[in-house]
């Protein structure tokens, strides 16, 4: 039985501290509503003038704008579920399906016949769904009514799993995943222009194209925004196109300008946020996703940790569970894994953490001398803020480390030495050690529990979740602000800069190029795709200002990686990590809940190793190995014991010569791999095959060790040749906005005055290890350069 019990349970508790609705404008309508930050949903309402009588007095217009991760949304107009008018809506293909509901108890609400509901405007895209509706006969219902001239409590609920029959308005659905309340100030929600709003359905298109007009006027200067506001007052009482044009731009309060607007809350963005706010700048961070760990407001707690604030993002051992179920934390409009929540990739990744090496910053890797000569200072800052550990359980005991002695048996005969890897970052040839993590106190730590934590304490720092930046507004080379979907931050979501302000693009290897394309920066074919998109095109600058010579999206690298799967009787494959979210081993779960120690204090990788290899072209390339109990997919003709399987993921890192391209694949603007970056140079493949063969040869001499994938029905060469290209992906993308190509040595986008990029995309070549440490160290150095650069705020 589906119920809304939790909704009623808290209603009385929170009433005294409710957030109150505020005025905002969207689609030409002046709403009273709230932007609910946990799920990033905008709720708004407008009522007829107080002089209305009869049926007109019993209706209103409502709006919801919802990130797609929320499969359905419910509203309770009496502040609780039972005996109140409810409204439920969800997207189905390109339409919004809706249904007034009613329930006499805390059970599945059923369709309710009283109201007449009409869609005035709706849209569904890859990130949001939006519904503006007219609700007639909606202010009274069986046994109750709404105070239309006061401040009644409204409630919202959201569901993260789809309704059972999306095409049917009568569909049932699971109990909501979250709920909340607010004070809807209906006394302030009456609008003399109400009648004109009922026509917006027919002017939807006009409204969009009008956004173009508004955007160029707001970007020109602040005074033109004021002009637009004035126009609104004059024209909005008519039902004309002009009315729509001007009202969509109208802020009811002036937006706050910022010295620095940072787009994206991943490792690059969070280091930037902390360093810029520490320097006293007025900083806004916008993040398209929502909270992750408990301290960021996350509430996604695994069932076994119920009653704690330990979310799946806090618990390192939940890493392997990131790839199944409702993976709402991955960006759905990127065709590679990318974290779309605060912390970015660092909130969902394996947590492997390597301090940068000299080679990582070498001229051979594409770095200018100003970086090559100075990076140690900034790496030291990083180490100080976020030290690594290769023994993550706070009780000092190593858990699930059976792979270590097996790897010793393989690697020692090959001339490898054991070491604490991060104690000597430059020693990366024939070395192995326990995997190093950026975890602390048995929890995922990373930039969220360090840089973001301190930034948040400063009054000059603001941040907004669920705020999707689409483009940078500019007049030629001068950036004036950022265009977002968050109408609470500015008119039509436009956020201005202070006169000398700057924008820091930290949206990651896929996100930052897309924003550049949507701002008229990058190869012509990409900007033309934007121009073909009716929603995005209006935000492009005039064609004469396009910067088409910058190779945005080219030169990308990612480590090609190949898995070898072995069995050995000493291994505990940890049930291949399958039950870790819903039904983990009870003793391990209990230990972690008690003291954040044990298996769950670490993620799945247990051993790492490196070796330099000569390629057929005479160039040196490095091989990295990451060893973990369990496996992705075994392909073998051998019988094998699944509880004894472990995997070695073998990457090619520093020295890789292959390059690919990322961009947007169509006018739908999904971020994509356009040219695979793996093995475009056959010397890379030959080198990796050589390294793999050396490991396999040595493994043959280890008693009871069996290579099951590849097995003896295929050669290593065939195995690598037939490896699915997408499985070569290591999620370590760099290079799309390479320093020296797209950005200069201060990370300033060439051809602009005040647009900088601080994320993995500026790194010109692959790091020796997994890249997060390098990304954060680069952010330290990049922000120091930017602060030192003349002309800023
Ligand atoms: N790196 C490591 O060092 N160790 C690892 O163990 C490791 N594992 C993984 C892994 O298992 C997976 C599945 C993935 C996807 C990556 C891994 N990486 C690992 C790579 C590492 O996480 C990345 O190199 C690192 O996070 C890159 O940091 P950046 O700051 O360059 O970029 P992110 O993608 O992390 O963050 C971008 C942020 O911008 C996100 O929060 C995103 O939501 C936000 N954003 C994107 N577009 C936006 C927009 N238009 N508006 C507002 N926000 C936007």
């Amino acid at each position: 039985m589906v119920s809304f019990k939790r909704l009623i349970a808290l209603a009385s508790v929170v009433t005294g501290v409710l957030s109150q609705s505020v005025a905002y404008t969207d689609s030409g309508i002046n709403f009273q509503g709230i932007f609910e930050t946990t799920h990033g949903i905008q709720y708004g309402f407008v009522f007829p003038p107080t002089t209305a009588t009869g049926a007109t007095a019993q209706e209103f217009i409502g709006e919801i704008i919802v990130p797609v991760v929320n499969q359905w949304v419910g509203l309770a107009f009496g502040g609780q579920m039972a005996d109140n008018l409810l409204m439920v809506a969800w997207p189905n293909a390109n339409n919004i399906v809706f249904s007034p509901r009613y329930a006499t108890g805390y059970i599945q609400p059923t369709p309710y016949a009283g109201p007449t509901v009409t869609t005035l405007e709706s849209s569904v895209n890859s990130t949001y769904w939006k519904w503006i509706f007219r609700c007639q006969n909606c202010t009274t219902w069986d046994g109750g009514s709404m105070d239309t001239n006061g401040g009644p409590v409204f409630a919202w609920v959201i569901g993260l799993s789809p309704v059972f029959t999306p095409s049917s308005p009568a569909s049932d659905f699971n109990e909501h995943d979250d709920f909340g309340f607010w004070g809807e100030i209906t006394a302030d929600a009456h609008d003399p222009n109400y009648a004109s709003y009922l026509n917006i359905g027919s002017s939807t298109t006009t409204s969009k194209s009008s956004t173009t007009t508004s955007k160029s006027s707001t970007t020109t200067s602040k005074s033109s925004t004021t002009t637009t506001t004035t126009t609104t007052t004059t024209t909005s009482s008519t039902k004309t196109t002009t009315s729509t044009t001007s009202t969509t731009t109208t802020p009811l309060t002036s937006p706050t300008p910022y010295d620095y607007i940072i787009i994206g809350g991943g490792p690059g963005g969070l280091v930037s946020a902390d360093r810029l706010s520490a320097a006293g700048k007025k900083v806004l961070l916008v993040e398209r996703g929502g909270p992750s760990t408990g301290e960021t407001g996350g509430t996604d707690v695994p069932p076994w940790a119920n009653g704690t604030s330990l979310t799946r993002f806090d618990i390192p051992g939940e890493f392997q569970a990131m790839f199944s179920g409702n993976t709402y934390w991955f960006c759905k409009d990127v065709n590679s894994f990318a974290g779309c929540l605060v912390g970015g990739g660092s909130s969902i990744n394996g947590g492997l953490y390597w301090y940068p090496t000299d080679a990582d910053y070498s001229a051979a890797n594409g770095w200018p001398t100003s970086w090559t000569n100075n990076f140690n200072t900034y790496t030291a800052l990083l180490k100080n803020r976020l030290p690594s550990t290769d023994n993550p359980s706070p009780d000092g005991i190593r858990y699930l480390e059976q792979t270590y002695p097996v790897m010793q048996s393989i690697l020692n005969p090959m001339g490898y030495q054991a070491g604490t890897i991060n104690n000597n970052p430059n020693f990366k040839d024939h070395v192995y050690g326990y995997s190093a993590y950026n975890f602390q106190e048995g929890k995922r730590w990373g930039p969220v529990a360090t840089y973001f934590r301190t930034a948040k304490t400063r009054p000059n720092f603001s941040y907004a979740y669920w705020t999707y930046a689409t483009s940078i507004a500019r007049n030629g080379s001068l950036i004036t602000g950022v265009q977002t979907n968050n109408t609470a931050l500015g008119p039509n979501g436009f956020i201005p800069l202070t006169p000398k302000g700057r924008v820091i693009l930290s949206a990651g290897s896929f996100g930052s190029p897309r924003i550049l394309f949507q701002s008229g920066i990058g190869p012509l074919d990409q900007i033309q795709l934007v121009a073909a998109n009716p929603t995005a095109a209006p935000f492009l600058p005039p064609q004469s200002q396009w910067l088409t010579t910058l190779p945005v999206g080219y030169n990308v690298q990612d480590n090609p990686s190949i898995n070898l799967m072995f069995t050995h009787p000493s291994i505990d494959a940890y049930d291949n990590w399958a039950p870790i979210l819903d039904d983990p081993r009870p003793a391990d779960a209990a230990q972690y809940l008690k003291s954040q120690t044990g298996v769950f204090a670490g993620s799945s990788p247990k051993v790492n190793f490196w070796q330099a290899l000569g390629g057929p072209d005479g160039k040196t390339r490095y091989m990295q190995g990451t060893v973990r109990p369990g496996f992705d997919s075994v392909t073998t003709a051998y019988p094998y014991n699944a509880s004894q399987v472990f995997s070695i993921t073998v990457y090619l890192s520093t020295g890789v010569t292959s390059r690919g391209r990322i961009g947007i694949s169509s006018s739908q603007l999904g971020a994509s791999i356009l040219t695979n970056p793996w093995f475009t140079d056959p010397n890379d493949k030959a080198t990796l095959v050589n390294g793999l063969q050396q490991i396999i040869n040595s493994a043959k001499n280890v008693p009871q060790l069996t290579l099951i994938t590849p097995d003896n029905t295929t050669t290593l060469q065939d195995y690598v040749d037939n490896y699915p290209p997408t499985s070569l992906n290591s999620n370590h993308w760099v290079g799309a906005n390479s320093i020296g190509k797209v950005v200069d040595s201060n990370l300033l986008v060439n051809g602009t005055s005040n647009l900088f990029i601080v994320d993995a995309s500026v790194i010109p070549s692959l790091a020796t290890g997994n890249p997060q440490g390098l990304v954060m160290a680069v952010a330290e150095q990049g922000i120091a350069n930017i602060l030192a650069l003349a002309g800023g705020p």
Side-chain angles (χ1 to χ4, degrees), residues 195-218:
S196 70
Y197 299 158
L198 301 176
N199 293 332
I200 63 154
S202 54
S203 62
T204 302
T205 315
T206 311
S207 165
K208 274 183 184 158
S209 60
S210 69
T211 312
T212 321
T213 315
S214 66
K215 190 252 178 186
S216 52
S217 55
T218 48

Side-chain angles (χ1 to χ4, degrees), residues 565-567 634-642 645 696 700 705-714:
M565 257 81 73
F566 295 87
T567 57
V634 168
T635 311
T636 187
Y638 296 155
Y640 68 97
N641 183 342
V645 184
I696 291 170
K700 283 180 187 151
L705 182 63
T706 309
L707 176 65
I708 56 169
T709 304
D711 61 15
N712 66 354
T713 63
T714 183

Side-chain angles (χ1 to χ4, degrees), residues 534-566:
T535 307
F539 294 92
L540 282 171
Q543 190 159 356
S544 58
Q545 294 184 15
W546 293 0
L547 298 173
T548 55
T549 55
L550 294 184
V552 177
Y554 283 98
N555 303 301
V556 297
Q557 290 195 312
D558 174 54
N559 307 98
S561 61
I562 299 276
N563 281 330
L564 301 176
M565 257 81 73
F566 295 87

Side-chain angles (χ1 to χ4, degrees), residues 20-36:
Q20 306 283 295
S21 65
V22 293
Y24 73 95
T25 301
D26 186 59
S27 289
I29 300 176
N30 295 331
F31 287 106
Q32 266 286 319
I34 58 154
F35 182 70
E36 193 283 305

Side-chain angles (χ1 to χ4, degrees), residues 262-270 286-290 319 322-323 329-331 333-334 336-354 436-438 464 466-471 484 505-512 514-515 603 605 651 730-734 758-761 763 769-776:
I262 302 167
I263 302 174
L270 295 183
V286 296
E287 164 55 47
R288 68 176 286 187
F319 166 59
M322 293 292 175
F323 303 96
W329 45 87
F330 287 129
C331 311
D333 54 3
V334 176
S336 182
F337 287 126
C340 260
L341 71 180
V342 72
S346 75
S347 288
I348 49 90
N349 70 22
L352 287 174
Y353 180 53
W354 312 111
Y437 299 116
N438 56 56
W466 304 111
T467 301
Y468 187 90
T470 46
S471 60
T484 74
L505 197 45
S506 299
S509 284
F510 289 87
S512 289
R514 175 166 43 192
I515 293 169
S603 68
Y651 311 82
S730 300
N731 305 306
H732 294 164
W733 298 85
V734 297
V758 183
D759 63 19
S761 70
I763 296 172
N770 312 56
Q772 187 186 316
L774 180 62
V775 175
M776 295 175 73

